[in-house]
């Protein structure tokens, strides 16, 4: 019997792609034979914008590259610039970075759980996940005044110190989060409808995951235990006690469970970091890198000169190139920066995990039914925060 291949547009308005992606899906009846992603609907040109701003001004753009785990992009960017400068980051600033980096991971995974299941038709988990998400954004707002796109890190440290009483608020949130994870598991992690839709669907073997360049939970769900916090430690992660969660199933259920289990590891890391918080400075003391304290501007001409030069021109890293990877909620985030000795980067290239993870979509979907495509996309990356950059 002769069948005709039918092409369907999925997106960019389709709710499962959240506006940033269009899929052209070739169907043979109910079965997918080909998937072609089309990106660029929200392309922002951040990489070229970085090249026309001073290094410190780039901190404004890094978090907007991924609005869910914005601290991951901020951290990757400032670590790369600091490596160029050989900056001296105070211990307190590094510890606060670890706390916010992990809270940002929790924030991203909450949206993953909530919107991913929403795409599958489960409305209730969305409200449960966003309850914790809102509490988490209250913590972000207390630190820097913004609930999203914080821009709180600085080359050499932090914008300012954390407010009094903030660590206690974080501890209270972690208790709430632990109860929330138990509720998520009760609600849907063992739901038979969800299990039927996710188990054995969209299997990606480990060798294929490596060939496709997958990182983060998607790679670990296929049994490859790569985590840059362990394999290429930064911010002192080698001294923290936590586990790298893996699975050998490689299916949609495993990818979903990765995020659910990683909540507990992030909570464990944040609790350790809170115990390590000690009073101290939060900026590199080098006045060629960090702005002087405001009160010094009233009495010191040297402070005024440093402030003027840094604000109007910025610092000049030595000529060279650098790349520092960090473990974001979606996988490896890195900023490749080339310096020509000027006050602005000569070249910036962002290694964004969502962009790479999309390569797995066609492999995982071919041979599946159309409804499975939504499940697979929802468990690979339902929000695709840093696809267009």
């Amino acid at each position: 019997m002769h069948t005709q291949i039918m092409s369907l547009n999925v997106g960019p308005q389709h709710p499962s792609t959240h506006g940033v992606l269009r899929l052209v899906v070739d169907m043979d009846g109910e079965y997918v034979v080909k998937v072609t992603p089309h990106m660029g609907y929200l392309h922002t040109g951040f990489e070229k914008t970085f090249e026309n701003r001073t290094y410190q001004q780039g901190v404004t753009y890094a978090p907007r590259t991924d609005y869910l785990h914005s601290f991951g992009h901020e951290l990757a960017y400032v670590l790369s610039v600091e490596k160029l400068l050989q900056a001296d980051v105070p211990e307190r600033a590094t510890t606060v970075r670890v706390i916010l980096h992990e809270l940002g991971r929790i924030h991203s995974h909450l949206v993953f759980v909530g919107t991913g299941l929403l795409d599958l038709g489960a409305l209730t988990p969305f409200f449960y996940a966003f309850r914790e998400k809102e509490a988490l954004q209250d913590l972000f707002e207390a630190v820097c005044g913004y609930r999203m796109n914080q821009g709180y890190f600085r080359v050499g440290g932090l914008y300012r110190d954390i407010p009094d009483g903030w660590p206690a608020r974080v501890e209270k949130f972690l208790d709430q989060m632990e109860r929330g994870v138990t509720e998520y598991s009760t609600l849907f992690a063992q739901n038979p409808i969800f299990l039927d839709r996710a188990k054995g669907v969209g299997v990606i073997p480990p060798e294929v995951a490596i060939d496709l360049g997958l990182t983060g939970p998607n790679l670990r769900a296929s049994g490859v235990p790569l985590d840059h916090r362990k394999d290429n430690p930064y911010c002192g992660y080698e001294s923290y006690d936590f586990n790298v969660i893996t699975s050998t199933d490689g299916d949609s259920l495993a990818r979903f469970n990765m995020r659910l289990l990683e909540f507990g590891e992030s909570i464990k890391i944040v609790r350790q970091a809170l115990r390590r918080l000690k009073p101290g400075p939060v900026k590199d003391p080098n006045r060629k890198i960090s702005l002087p304290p405001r009160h010094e501007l009233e009495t010191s001409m040297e402070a005024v000169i440093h402030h003027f030069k840094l604000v109007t021109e910025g610092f000049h890293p030595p000529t060279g190139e650098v790349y520092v990877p960090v473990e974001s909620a979606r996988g490896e985030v890195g900023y490749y920066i080339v310096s020509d000795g000027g006050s602005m980067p000569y070249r910036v290239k962002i290694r964004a995990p969502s962009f790479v993870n999309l390569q797995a979509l066609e492999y995982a979907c071919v041979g599946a039914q159309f409804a499975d495509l939504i499940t697979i996309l929802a468990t690979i990356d339902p929000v695709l925060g840093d696809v267009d950059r």
Side-chain angles (χ1 to χ4, degrees), residues 106-326:
I106 293 173
H107 178 261
S108 180
H109 284 355
L110 283 169
V111 178
F112 179 98
V113 169
T115 62
L117 287 162
L118 185 66
D119 293 338
L120 302 184
L123 184 61
T124 304
F126 177 83
F127 295 111
Y128 276 78
F130 270 58
R131 175 190 60 191
E132 271 71 64
K133 177 183 180 295
E134 288 297 310
L136 197 47
Q137 287 186 304
D138 288 341
L139 294 175
F140 296 159
E141 186 177 19
V143 166
C144 58
Y146 293 94
R147 299 177 73 80
M148 290 178 63
N149 304 328
Q150 288 82 14
Y152 175 65
F153 298 162
R154 291 291 183 273
V155 178
L158 308 173
Y159 158 54
R160 64 183 181 191
D161 204 351
I162 56 176
D164 294 339
W166 190 77
R169 292 180 60 183
V170 174
E171 284 280 9
K172 184 177 179 181
F173 166 77
L174 296 179
D175 293 338
Q176 175 186 344
M177 188 66 214
E178 286 178 332
R179 293 191 297 270
V181 174
T182 302
E183 289 178 339
Y184 308 154
S185 300
T186 304
L187 268 173
F188 53 79
Q190 291 142 17
N191 184 298
I193 299 174
F194 172 66
L195 292 176
D196 285 345
R197 290 201 63 181
K199 190 170 181 60
V201 173
V203 176
I204 303 174
E207 62 275 8
V208 174
I210 293 171
D211 288 345
L212 292 172
L214 300 188
T215 54
N218 291 323
L219 179 64
R220 294 191 287 273
S222 295
V224 183
L226 174 66
D227 189 316
H228 287 291
R229 295 172 295 176
K230 290 278 191 182
D231 297 294
N232 297 293
Y234 53 93
C235 292
Y237 266 106
E238 64 274 13
S239 62
Y240 287 86
D241 177 30
F242 66 100
N243 300 315
V244 177
I245 305 297
T246 59
S247 172
T248 56
D249 295 336
D251 59 3
S252 294
L253 181 61
R255 290 190 288 273
F256 182 87
N257 284 335
M258 283 298 103
R259 277 76 173 187
L260 203 60
L261 294 171
E262 284 185 0
F263 281 134
E265 298 308 310
S266 290
I267 291 171
K268 187 190 302 183
I269 293 170
V270 173
R271 290 196 191 280
Q272 293 174 61
L274 288 172
R275 292 194 294 268
R276 297 183 185 193
L277 269 180
K278 300 176 182 177
V282 294
K283 296 181 181 180
D284 188 324
N286 185 352
R287 295 299 169 81
K288 301 293 184 182
I289 296 176
S290 303
L291 290 172
R294 297 290 297 182
H295 65 85
E296 289 190 14
L297 301 181
E298 301 174 2
T299 58
S300 170
M301 178 54 68
E302 288 78 10
V304 172
I305 293 171
H306 283 305
H307 187 279
F308 178 80
K309 292 288 285 182
L310 284 172
V311 169
T312 58
E313 183 180 341
F315 42 73
H316 293 254
T319 302
E321 56 186 334
V322 67
Y323 176 82
V324 178
V326 307

Side-chain angles (χ1 to χ4, degrees), residues 55-56 59 73-91 93-95 97 152-159 234-236 282-286 289-290 315-318 321-324 326 335 337 339 345:
Y55 286 91
Q56 204 70 277
V59 174
H73 274 264
E74 280 187 48
L75 186 59
Y77 176 71
V78 297
L79 286 177
S80 292
V81 179
E82 286 163 359
K83 189 172 182 179
L84 274 173
L85 289 167
Q86 296 298 306
D88 181 19
V89 182
E91 180 182 353
T94 297
T95 305
R97 285 179 176 183
Y152 175 65
F153 298 162
R154 291 291 183 273
V155 178
L158 308 173
Y159 158 54
Y234 53 93
C235 292
V282 294
K283 296 181 181 180
D284 188 324
N286 185 352
I289 296 176
S290 303
F315 42 73
H316 293 254
E321 56 186 334
V322 67
Y323 176 82
V324 178
V326 307
Y335 280 70
I337 300 176
S339 169

